[in-house]
Amino acid sequence: MAQEDDSLTVALVHALDEVTRRVEEITTGEGLSLDQWLVLHRVAVAGDQAMRDLVAGTRLNDSTLTRVVDRLAALGLVFREADPTDRRRVRVAISTRGRTAHERLAPAVEDAERRLLSDHDSPSLIASLTRLARPLAGT
């Protein structure tokens, strides 16, 4: 009989796999991966973002983020624009088509998240995960 692994790292990886599976069940109908959804959701909720802010907000690395934004732009969901205060910086903004896709998908993603947490003490779990992630925000 296999011994249960109660490692926090293993548990979080398994939880992320399940969240990814459930979210992508919803987003793949629009041709979006979890990473693409994270970027689309971020610009929909927080407004246009500099690439470095998207790296911090989504935890994607630079090269992955560039590929994700390229794909979202090719789908017409976001567009790049020069930062008006520093033309060397690029900002990513949501398009009308992207806003429509986000408005269509967000309720289903939120429902999937609620269902994932329904068997747990969700306020406590979310608070714990938020506290756990907080030191990462500064890196």
Side-chain angles (χ1 to χ4, degrees):
M1 187 163 155
Q3 187 174 7
E4 185 98 11
D5 187 344
D6 60 356
S7 159
L8 174 62
T9 302
V10 170
L12 288 172
V13 168
H14 287 255
L16 180 57
D17 287 347
E18 184 61 15
V19 169
T20 300
R21 186 183 70 74
R22 301 252 187 124
V23 170
E24 286 185 342
E25 283 177 354
I26 298 159
T27 61
T28 54
E30 296 281 336
L32 300 179
S33 68
L34 177 65
D35 290 345
Q36 292 161 347
W37 169 252
L38 290 172
V39 172
L40 184 66
H41 181 67
R42 178 76 181 188
V43 295
V45 171
D48 66 314
Q49 302 274 294
M51 291 289 280
R52 72 180 162 94
D53 295 332
L54 279 172
V55 166
T58 62
R59 308 302 295 166
L60 300 175
N61 66 47
D62 291 331
S63 60
T64 299
L65 180 62
T66 298
R67 284 192 303 276
V68 165
V69 171
D70 287 347
R71 175 71 178 145
L72 291 172
L75 292 170
L77 301 176
V78 301
F79 58 92
R80 291 181 175 94
E81 58 188 1
D83 187 315
T85 61
D86 183 349
R87 308 279 304 158
R88 296 169 295 176
R89 291 178 55 194
V90 174
R91 298 187 70 78
V92 177
I94 194 164
S95 68
T96 301
R97 185 175 181 179
R99 173 84 50 209
T100 300
H102 183 267
E103 288 171 355
R104 187 171 46 253
L105 294 170
V109 170
E110 290 166 5
D111 185 57
E113 291 172 347
R114 269 191 302 278
R115 282 185 279 119
L116 276 164
L117 294 171
S118 65
D119 293 334
H120 304 5
D121 178 12
S122 40
S124 175
L125 178 61
I126 292 171
S128 294
L129 289 172
T130 301
R131 280 192 307 276
L132 181 64
R134 194 167 294 131
L136 297 176
T139 61

